[in-house]
Amino acid sequence: GMAAGAEPQPEALRLAMPGPALLSVLVALLAVAVTFLLWRLVQGRRSRRRAVLLLGLCDAGKTLLFVRLLTGKYRDTQTSITDSSAVYRVSKDKSANVTLIDLPGHESLRLQFLERFKAAARAIVFVVDSVAFQREVKDVAEFLYQILVDSTVLKNAPALLIACNKQDVTMAKSAKLIQQQLEKELNTLRVTCSAAPTSLDGSATGGPAHLGKKGKDFDFSQLPMKVEFVECSARGSKGEEGDAELEGLEKWLAKIA
Amino acid sequence: VGFQKILTLTYVDKLIDDVHKEFRDKYRNEFQQKGTLGLLNGTFDFKDDFLRLLRDAEESSKVRAPTVMKTFEQSQKSQKTVKCMIETRGEKPKEKVKNKKNKGSKKEGTEAVAAASKVSTGDKQPSTAGDKEELTRDEILQKNREEFFKKHMKAGEKSSRSPKPEAQKEKGKKPRVWDLGNSNAKVLDYSNSATNGSGEACPVEEFDPDMALGDRNREPGRLYDLEYESDDEAEEEKVIQNPSKPSAKKGGLGGMFGMLKGLVGSKSLTREDMDPILEKMKDHLIAKNVAAEIAVQLCESVAKKLEGKVMGTFTTVTSTVKQALQEALVQILQPQRRLDVLRDVMDAQRQRRPYVVTFCGVNGVGKSTNLAKISFWLIENGFSVLIAACDTFRAGAVEQLRTHTRRLNALHPPESHGGRTMVQLYEKGYGKDAAGIAMEAISYARNQGFDVVLVDTAGRMQDNAPLMMALAKLIAVNAPDLVLFVGEALVGNEAVDQLVKFNKALADHSMAQTPRLIDGIVLTKFDTIDDKVGAAISMTYITSKPIVFVGTGQTYCDLRSLNAKAVVAALMKA
């Protein structure tokens, strides 16, 4: 009984003997795999959201703003049909940098590029043409609404800056006026969009949350992310040779970096 | 891109490709090393190169001088004997049969028709090899074509019997002579006065009971099923698809190695890799009720977009192609400009004018039903609706709308909306002019302060020219804010034809500089298809206008909006 029981044991031990060598190899491999995964995760998290997206309607001035921020020079630009990205050094002394991504504003392209880059967004600069704003109020508000109700944007709540561009022109509207008009328009839009017939699979088209607080008029302070308004001019009032007036924008970028 | 349609410059495509390649090669280093900042900071002195390429392209397009016509001695005709040029009677009907057969069959036959016309001209010089001294290249091509179409002859023979008596009858027709001077009614009266109206008009001797009855063995009173002859089309498909089969087999073997290669390193996609997958995807789309031409065009555009793309590691060709197709489908379904009806109604309200919506479509798609659903939705959102019954043709159309109005008013009585009737019907009975009724309805709505006017029109086939003209007139005269095309989700290839012809009619018969076209689509009867949702794709692809509403049933609440991702998921699901 006991002897028989004791005998299989050393045999079992002997079978497991080559074990330690094999076992140590397995443990080593496992450790390597775990560290590799951890490293990837950490790096992914760190680099996942380092992008600042430049969004806006066509002709708002996104590409010129992009060029000015990166090189300080003026370039003639064409309507973008694809994204451009580059690393932007926030200020000379700080080592922080962000990736600026300039996305096309054309109607047929804007949504698919937003789809591609929204997950990587740490902040969004929404560029508005202050001169044509009165005419384009509805389109501006519609695009802004589409960005704000997007589920990924709501989840990440990237900081939002609304850059009222083209302030060098005398007819440009002020940032305050633009803010008021956008709030009014978004107020109407959230009612009409949520009143649309429900989607085919049952989920509401207007997004899971009603934008802002119900019962009260829409206000940018009701949004989950920080919203700021800034006036800027990519072209600059001294003509093409002069500098752009981007102090507000650069300060904000330094803040969020 | 627009310019290709304005200037028919044949060298444009090639020029763009050349410029692209040259620019990329010249500045390849800068792109690779410096990235975006290099692009912004670098200077690209490309003007001279571009002008040189443009000059080359222009010259190459001029090089082809107009071909000089061959003299009679040089042509082949002079080398033939007279005998072989005589056409024998027996061959003509067969040619006609071939052409008819080829025109009758659908997409597979398009290549066949082009080839058939070539063969019929070739047949006029029937090949008698003995008469000629040499077989030129064209003769060889002709002979090959004839052998190719001998296989068609087998199918053609079946119906060659019926056209034969037709051909003989045609010969019997003599040209009718109209004398200008003799406009006497009597001379022009060809009717047989003795037989008009009398019972024995039909000469009894010619009536053959056997021919009239047809199949003698049928049971009297029994209704037989429709016999479907699919042999002819199957043969044509076999003939045409044969050349493509060996290439598919080759693709299969190459595909396996390609897959292994793709798994390991980075591989750029070529046409041959994508073709078998695209074929499968195209068939899958067609099985899901996407119109055939649309499926073909979609696959073509996906192939063009992916050509030369470098795949990442661990991605197969199939997954890349599927991903690209999915993105393309989502982009088609998501409108460029979202149509927000409520927002536009609010705008019209502010301007103190009614917002006019017109519904058009073919017969039986559900215009009146969905009109009622949309008016219910509008009432729920607090807008008052006037329904204009401009369907003055179909029996019961006005009564149907009256019943809907009564029901909607019962659901939303005036008491709960501040004493104002939310729905009213404007009708003028049957037989009147639809455009006139619409105009009166709109001015009535303006006077009474209605927010929305929904105009219901009669269903009409897209081929019916007078009715299409009447519809175009209604839309041009009344200038509605929204023209909605109502189409059912069950429609297949017909969707393309319907939409194209409706748009064309609206554009042709409008006097304005920018004609009003279809602004949106209402997709009805969506609950009758489970996942064969291809009609949505066909319709949005043709018009590039959004699907505004989707009808999913017969009750008032069965009105939905389109969810592009869900529809594409259902479409791509195997």
Side-chain angles (χ1 to χ4, degrees), chain B residues 439-456:
Chain B
M439 191 158 6
E440 290 168 30
I442 294 173
S443 46
Y444 178 78
R446 195 176 301 126
N447 293 338
Q448 301 288 321
F450 280 98
D451 299 317
V452 188
V453 178
L454 298 179
V455 177
D456 185 23

Side-chain angles (χ1 to χ4, degrees), chain A residues 67 70-71 73 75 85 107-108 112 115 138-139 142 185 188-189 192-193 195 197-201 205, chain B residues 36 40-42 331 336-338 340 342-343 346-347 377 381 526 549-550 559-561 563 565 567:
Chain A
V67 174
L70 287 178
T71 64
K73 299 199 204 108
R75 293 275 149 162
S85 63
E107 312 172 320
S108 50
Q112 73 187 44
E115 215 40 41
K138 289 210 312 198
D139 300 325
E142 188 189 318
E185 186 65 29
T188 331
L189 264 184
T192 60
C193 284
T198 53
S199 183
L200 273 176
D201 57 357
T205 46
Chain B
T36 317
L40 295 176
N41 286 325
Q331 221 209 334
Q336 298 176 2
R337 174 143 290 186
R338 196 156 63 166
D340 198 348
L342 290 177
R343 187 80 192 75
M346 281 189 198
D347 268 348
W377 172 65
N381 280 299
F526 205 78
F549 298 111
V550 180
L559 190 68
R560 300 262 179 276
S561 65
N563 184 345
K565 295 212 180 73
V567 168

